[in-house]
mmCIF file of all heavy atoms in Angstrom:
data_model
loop_
_atom_site.group_PDB
_atom_site.id
_atom_site.type_symbol
_atom_site.label_atom_id
_atom_site.label_comp_id
_atom_site.label_asym_id
_atom_site.label_seq_id
_atom_site.Cartn_x
_atom_site.Cartn_y
_atom_site.Cartn_z
ATOM 1 N N ASP N 164 -98.803 129.048 -123.396
ATOM 2 C CA ASP N 164 -99.846 128.033 -123.363
ATOM 3 C C ASP N 164 -100.165 127.655 -124.823
ATOM 4 O O ASP N 164 -100.171 126.420 -125.261
ATOM 5 C CB ASP N 164 -101.065 128.248 -122.584
ATOM 6 C CG ASP N 164 -100.828 128.302 -121.115
ATOM 7 O OD1 ASP N 164 -99.617 127.704 -120.668
ATOM 8 O OD2 ASP N 164 -101.589 128.990 -120.342
ATOM 9 N N VAL N 165 -100.448 128.586 -125.648
ATOM 10 C CA VAL N 165 -100.827 128.369 -126.967
ATOM 11 C C VAL N 165 -99.596 127.715 -127.786
ATOM 12 O O VAL N 165 -99.758 126.901 -128.565
ATOM 13 C CB VAL N 165 -101.318 129.666 -127.677
ATOM 14 C CG1 VAL N 165 -101.562 129.448 -129.206
ATOM 15 C CG2 VAL N 165 -102.538 130.112 -127.009
ATOM 16 N N PHE N 166 -98.367 128.270 -127.500
ATOM 17 C CA PHE N 166 -97.221 127.807 -128.128
ATOM 18 C C PHE N 166 -97.020 126.447 -127.883
ATOM 19 O O PHE N 166 -96.770 125.558 -128.766
ATOM 20 C CB PHE N 166 -96.017 128.675 -127.648
ATOM 21 C CG PHE N 166 -94.758 128.453 -128.379
ATOM 22 C CD1 PHE N 166 -94.319 129.364 -129.274
ATOM 23 C CD2 PHE N 166 -93.935 127.273 -128.101
ATOM 24 C CE1 PHE N 166 -93.084 129.075 -130.018
ATOM 25 C CE2 PHE N 166 -92.778 127.082 -128.813
ATOM 26 C CZ PHE N 166 -92.329 127.932 -129.737
ATOM 27 N N LEU N 167 -97.211 125.939 -126.555
ATOM 28 C CA LEU N 167 -96.986 124.532 -126.215
ATOM 29 C C LEU N 167 -98.124 123.568 -126.878
ATOM 30 O O LEU N 167 -97.839 122.486 -127.300
ATOM 31 C CB LEU N 167 -96.941 124.406 -124.791
ATOM 32 C CG LEU N 167 -95.762 124.956 -123.962
ATOM 33 C CD1 LEU N 167 -95.932 124.877 -122.567
ATOM 34 C CD2 LEU N 167 -94.468 124.265 -124.407
ATOM 35 N N GLU N 168 -99.284 124.244 -127.028
ATOM 36 C CA GLU N 168 -100.394 123.484 -127.793
ATOM 37 C C GLU N 168 -99.909 123.210 -129.205
ATOM 38 O O GLU N 168 -100.224 122.187 -129.742
ATOM 39 C CB GLU N 168 -101.638 124.292 -127.688
ATOM 40 C CG GLU N 168 -102.302 124.216 -126.254
ATOM 41 C CD GLU N 168 -103.516 125.148 -126.274
ATOM 42 O OE1 GLU N 168 -103.947 125.601 -127.283
ATOM 43 O OE2 GLU N 168 -104.148 125.279 -125.071
ATOM 44 N N LYS N 169 -99.316 124.273 -129.881
ATOM 45 C CA LYS N 169 -98.789 124.104 -131.206
ATOM 46 C C LYS N 169 -97.869 122.853 -131.225
ATOM 47 O O LYS N 169 -97.705 122.229 -132.231
ATOM 48 C CB LYS N 169 -98.203 125.394 -131.670
ATOM 49 C CG LYS N 169 -99.095 126.561 -131.729
ATOM 50 C CD LYS N 169 -99.967 126.522 -133.051
ATOM 51 C CE LYS N 169 -100.716 127.867 -133.128
ATOM 52 N NZ LYS N 169 -101.599 127.872 -134.322
ATOM 53 N N ILE N 170 -96.939 122.919 -130.298
ATOM 54 C CA ILE N 170 -95.899 121.791 -130.220
ATOM 55 C C ILE N 170 -96.546 120.477 -130.065
ATOM 56 O O ILE N 170 -96.095 119.510 -130.722
ATOM 57 C CB ILE N 170 -94.837 122.167 -129.109
ATOM 58 C CG1 ILE N 170 -94.123 123.404 -129.386
ATOM 59 C CG2 ILE N 170 -93.911 121.062 -128.973
ATOM 60 C CD1 ILE N 170 -93.305 123.519 -130.722
ATOM 61 N N ILE N 171 -97.654 120.379 -129.261
ATOM 62 C CA ILE N 171 -98.245 119.130 -128.991
ATOM 63 C C ILE N 171 -98.825 118.627 -130.337
ATOM 64 O O ILE N 171 -98.786 117.485 -130.674
ATOM 65 C CB ILE N 171 -99.317 119.218 -127.894
ATOM 66 C CG1 ILE N 171 -98.717 119.559 -126.502
ATOM 67 C CG2 ILE N 171 -100.247 118.039 -127.903
ATOM 68 C CD1 ILE N 171 -99.750 119.835 -125.435
ATOM 69 N N GLY N 172 -99.497 119.661 -130.996
ATOM 70 C CA GLY N 172 -100.079 119.217 -132.296
ATOM 71 C C GLY N 172 -99.009 118.837 -133.273
ATOM 72 O O GLY N 172 -99.266 117.851 -133.970
ATOM 73 N N LEU N 173 -97.741 119.402 -133.281
ATOM 74 C CA LEU N 173 -96.782 119.098 -134.180
ATOM 75 C C LEU N 173 -96.268 117.660 -133.836
ATOM 76 O O LEU N 173 -96.109 116.813 -134.760
ATOM 77 C CB LEU N 173 -95.599 120.102 -134.023
ATOM 78 C CG LEU N 173 -94.417 120.110 -135.100
ATOM 79 C CD1 LEU N 173 -95.097 120.550 -136.428
ATOM 80 C CD2 LEU N 173 -93.372 121.052 -134.641
ATOM 81 N N VAL N 174 -96.167 117.371 -132.549
ATOM 82 C CA VAL N 174 -95.603 116.104 -132.145
ATOM 83 C C VAL N 174 -96.725 114.957 -132.485
ATOM 84 O O VAL N 174 -96.352 113.933 -132.951
ATOM 85 C CB VAL N 174 -95.312 115.981 -130.569
ATOM 86 C CG1 VAL N 174 -95.097 114.567 -130.155
ATOM 87 C CG2 VAL N 174 -94.157 116.986 -130.295
ATOM 88 N N ASN N 175 -97.950 115.279 -132.294
ATOM 89 C CA ASN N 175 -98.924 114.297 -132.564
ATOM 90 C C ASN N 175 -99.273 114.093 -134.016
ATOM 91 O O ASN N 175 -99.712 112.941 -134.365
ATOM 92 C CB ASN N 175 -100.187 114.606 -131.805
ATOM 93 C CG ASN N 175 -100.051 114.527 -130.281
ATOM 94 O OD1 ASN N 175 -99.203 113.814 -129.826
ATOM 95 N ND2 ASN N 175 -100.916 115.271 -129.528
ATOM 96 N N GLU N 176 -99.234 115.085 -134.855
ATOM 97 C CA GLU N 176 -99.667 115.011 -136.195
ATOM 98 C C GLU N 176 -98.568 114.984 -137.180
ATOM 99 O O GLU N 176 -98.872 114.557 -138.333
ATOM 100 C CB GLU N 176 -100.549 116.358 -136.560
ATOM 101 C CG GLU N 176 -101.734 116.456 -135.474
ATOM 102 C CD GLU N 176 -102.389 117.830 -135.673
ATOM 103 O OE1 GLU N 176 -102.057 118.484 -136.615
ATOM 104 O OE2 GLU N 176 -103.227 118.142 -134.797
ATOM 105 N N THR N 177 -97.437 115.193 -136.831
ATOM 106 C CA THR N 177 -96.330 115.384 -137.795
ATOM 107 C C THR N 177 -95.080 114.552 -137.369
ATOM 108 O O THR N 177 -94.860 114.610 -136.237
ATOM 109 C CB THR N 177 -95.867 116.839 -138.097
ATOM 110 O OG1 THR N 177 -97.074 117.626 -138.239
ATOM 111 C CG2 THR N 177 -94.970 116.960 -139.265
ATOM 112 N N ASP N 178 -94.343 114.003 -138.316
ATOM 113 C CA ASP N 178 -93.006 113.560 -138.037
ATOM 114 C C ASP N 178 -92.074 114.713 -138.089
ATOM 115 O O ASP N 178 -91.649 115.202 -139.190
ATOM 116 C CB ASP N 178 -92.588 112.399 -139.034
ATOM 117 C CG ASP N 178 -93.407 111.189 -138.894
ATOM 118 O OD1 ASP N 178 -93.715 110.899 -137.642
ATOM 119 O OD2 ASP N 178 -93.587 110.375 -139.749
ATOM 120 N N ILE N 179 -91.590 115.191 -136.946
ATOM 121 C CA ILE N 179 -90.751 116.366 -137.026
ATOM 122 C C ILE N 179 -89.399 115.904 -137.637
ATOM 123 O O ILE N 179 -88.863 114.909 -137.164
ATOM 124 C CB ILE N 179 -90.547 116.917 -135.538
ATOM 125 C CG1 ILE N 179 -91.854 117.246 -134.849
ATOM 126 C CG2 ILE N 179 -89.642 118.107 -135.602
ATOM 127 C CD1 ILE N 179 -91.764 117.691 -133.477
ATOM 128 N N PRO N 180 -88.928 116.593 -138.596
ATOM 129 C CA PRO N 180 -87.704 116.124 -139.220
ATOM 130 C C PRO N 180 -86.467 116.123 -138.207
ATOM 131 O O PRO N 180 -86.344 117.023 -137.483
ATOM 132 C CB PRO N 180 -87.508 117.138 -140.403
ATOM 133 C CG PRO N 180 -88.301 118.364 -139.997
ATOM 134 C CD PRO N 180 -89.452 117.825 -139.189
#
Side-chain angles (χ1 to χ4, degrees):
D164 289 341
V165 173
F166 190 100
L167 293 171
E168 287 175 7
K169 298 280 190 184
I170 297 299
I171 292 171
L173 194 66
V174 171
N175 292 338
E176 300 168 13
T177 312
D178 288 330
I179 305 177

